[in-house]
Amino acid sequence: MTSVAMMALVAAGWLGVPQIAAAAPDMTYHPQPRLGILVPIGPPDYSVLMSQFVKEKTLKYGPFTYFVGTLKQVPTVICIQPFGGPVTRAMSAQAMLTHFNIKALIYPGTSGAHLEADQMVIGDVVLGAKHVNFANFFMTKAGDLIPDEFTAESAMGRFNMLYANPTLLHYLACSATEVAAKAKMPDWVNPGVTQAHPKIFYYGIQGTSTMWLANKAFIHKTHQVFHELDEDGDWFSAVVAAMYDVPFIEVSTISDSIFEFPDTERGIPVPPKSTDPGVHVKNASVLAQDMSNRIAVALIGRYGEKILKGHYPTPETSPVPDAWYADAANPRDLLKGKDCLP
C-alpha cells in the first residue's frame, strides 16, 4: 500500500482512528431591529457607553461577545472586539450582521493626526464622510506612491472608497457639534493651544491601515495621495457593512499627533501625575475615546429611532464635490434643519 493510500485510509477513519466532528456554528438570528456599536478594545475604558446601556442579555458567537439591550431606550447591540486591529473588528461586524437585524453600524474610535498642529490637535473630531485604506498602494522604485496595488481599475471596485449616507452624516454632525460645544480638553493635552472647544472635521476622510506612523515625511506622502486626515479609521468594517447593505457611521477623536508632539516617540502627550492618590488622571487616548463615545450616545439618543425606522443606502460614488473634503472643517449645510437644534 502506498503512503498516499495509507494517508487516505487514515483520513477516512478506516484504520480505527477516532474522528472529531467540527462543531456546527450557531446560526441563531435575532430579527428585532437594532443599532450595532463596534467598540475598539483599547483604550480599555468603556464607562461612557456602558453607563448608558441597559443590558438585557449577553450572547457569544465564536470568539465574539455581544451585549444586547438598549441605549437611550433604543434597541442596541454592543461588541467589544476580543483583540486589537481593524480586521478583527471587521470580523466582529460580520458576525454581528449575521446574527442580528442591524439597521446601522456605529464605530466610535480614536485616531492619529495626519495634519499639521496648526490645523489639527488632540481632541479634534473627524466625522467619517469618506473611508479609505491608505495602506493599499504601489510604491515605485523611486519611492512614489500610486493608489491601489494595480495601475489600472481598482480590483476593489466600488469598495475601494466608501462614503457616508448624507442624512446620517447630518445626524452625526448635529450630535458631534452638540457634544463638542460642551467639551474642552485639559490644558496639558494641548499646551499653548487656545481653542475653546474641539474642532470638528465634518467632511472627514478617515484613513485606515495597520500602520502606526511617526515618520512625518511618510505621513505627508500618503496624505498627498489619499488625502486622509487621520489614521486608524475603520475602512474594513465599512466594507463589511456595505457588502451587507447596512449603513456605516464612524466618528474618531484625535488621540495622538506627531506633528503636535514631535519630540515624543509616538506623538502622545504625558499626563501629569495626580497630587491626590485617589484620583486617576485619564490619558489622552481615554479622553479621546470618551469624546467619541459621548457623540455616539448623543447620536443614538437624538436620532436612534429615526435610524431604526428609516432607509439609508450607502452611496456608491461621492455624494459631495471633492472640494468639500479639502475644506472639511466647513459644515456647509450639515447643521441646518430643526432636528439639529439643541
Side-chain angles (χ1 to χ4, degrees):
M1 181 178 291
T2 66
S3 60
V4 173
M6 179 70 74
M7 291 172 64
L9 289 174
V10 171
W14 291 354
L15 297 184
V17 178
Q19 302 298 298
I20 301 175
D26 184 348
M27 297 305 293
T28 304
Y29 182 71
H30 306 274
Q32 180 180 0
R34 293 183 182 273
L35 301 182
I37 304 179
L38 304 173
V39 183
I41 192 170
D45 185 335
Y46 319 115
S47 57
V48 171
L49 282 177
M50 301 312 289
S51 64
Q52 304 280 331
F53 184 69
V54 179
K55 187 177 72 172
E56 299 169 357
K57 55 188 172 183
T58 301
L59 299 173
K60 189 173 179 65
Y61 296 107
F64 305 112
T65 300
Y66 297 94
F67 303 103
V68 182
T70 59
L71 187 70
K72 294 290 186 178
Q73 300 182 328
V74 177
T76 305
V77 179
I78 295 177
C79 180
I80 301 170
Q81 62 186 104
F83 59 90
V87 176
T88 310
R89 199 159 49 245
M91 294 170 67
S92 71
Q94 181 168 3
M96 184 186 290
L97 295 176
T98 299
H99 294 285
F100 300 94
N101 184 8
I102 301 299
K103 294 303 181 181
L105 273 176
I106 302 169
Y107 173 57
T110 63
S111 54
H114 274 207
L115 297 182
E116 296 284 352
D118 60 349
Q119 299 173 278
M120 173 182 282
V121 297
I122 292 176
D124 286 346
V125 176
V126 182
L127 309 187
K130 181 178 180 179
H131 308 273
V132 300
N133 178 5
F134 75 90
N136 183 24
F137 57 77
F138 170 73
M139 179 178 282
T140 68
K141 293 179 180 180
D144 298 323
L145 302 187
I146 299 174
D148 210 336
E149 65 268 38
F150 302 102
T151 56
E153 184 177 353
S154 173
M156 288 297 300
R158 75 179 184 90
F159 301 104
N160 192 39
M161 294 185 182
L162 296 166
Y163 305 92
N165 177 279
T167 302
L168 294 181
L169 186 60
H170 160 70
Y171 294 164
L172 183 61
C174 296
S175 304
T177 301
E178 177 187 5
V179 172
K182 304 173 185 176
K184 189 181 187 306
M185 285 288 160
D187 291 339
W188 65 264
V189 174
N190 298 308
V193 175
T194 59
Q195 67 182 40
H197 305 287
K199 180 189 295 183
I200 299 175
F201 294 86
Y202 294 93
Y203 290 96
I205 300 180
Q206 297 268 208
T208 301
S209 79
T210 53
M211 302 181 289
W212 183 320
L213 302 177
N215 183 287
K216 291 190 283 186
F218 189 73
I219 292 174
H220 283 308
K221 185 174 287 191
T222 62
H223 180 72
Q224 288 172 359
V225 175
F226 295 97
H227 311 293
E228 79 285 353
L229 301 189
D230 63 3
E231 66 181 69
D232 199 27
D234 205 1
W235 174 85
F236 293 98
S237 295
V239 169
V240 171
M243 292 175 69
Y244 279 76
D245 295 320
V246 173
F248 187 77
I249 306 170
E250 177 173 354
V251 54
S252 285
T253 302
I254 301 300
S255 61
D256 56 90
S257 172
I258 200 64
F259 298 103
E260 189 177 3
F261 295 93
D263 296 330
T264 64
E265 182 180 357
R266 299 191 176 208
I268 303 172
V270 178
K273 293 183 179 180
S274 174
T275 56
D276 184 345
V279 175
H280 172 69
V281 178
K282 292 185 176 182
N283 62 33
S285 293
V286 174
L287 291 171
Q289 185 65 54
D290 282 354
M291 175 75 71
S292 292
N293 287 344
R294 287 201 298 271
I295 293 171
V297 170
L299 172 73
I300 292 174
R302 182 185 283 250
Y303 300 105
E305 290 294 341
K306 284 186 177 182
I307 298 173
L308 280 180
K309 297 174 182 178
H311 179 59
Y312 304 95
T314 299
E316 295 192 11
T317 58
S318 178
V320 302
D322 287 345
W324 292 21
Y325 301 113
D327 186 21
N330 184 347
R332 300 185 186 270
D333 293 336
L334 282 178
L335 302 180
K336 292 185 177 180
K338 292 182 179 179
D339 65 330
C340 204
L341 297 175

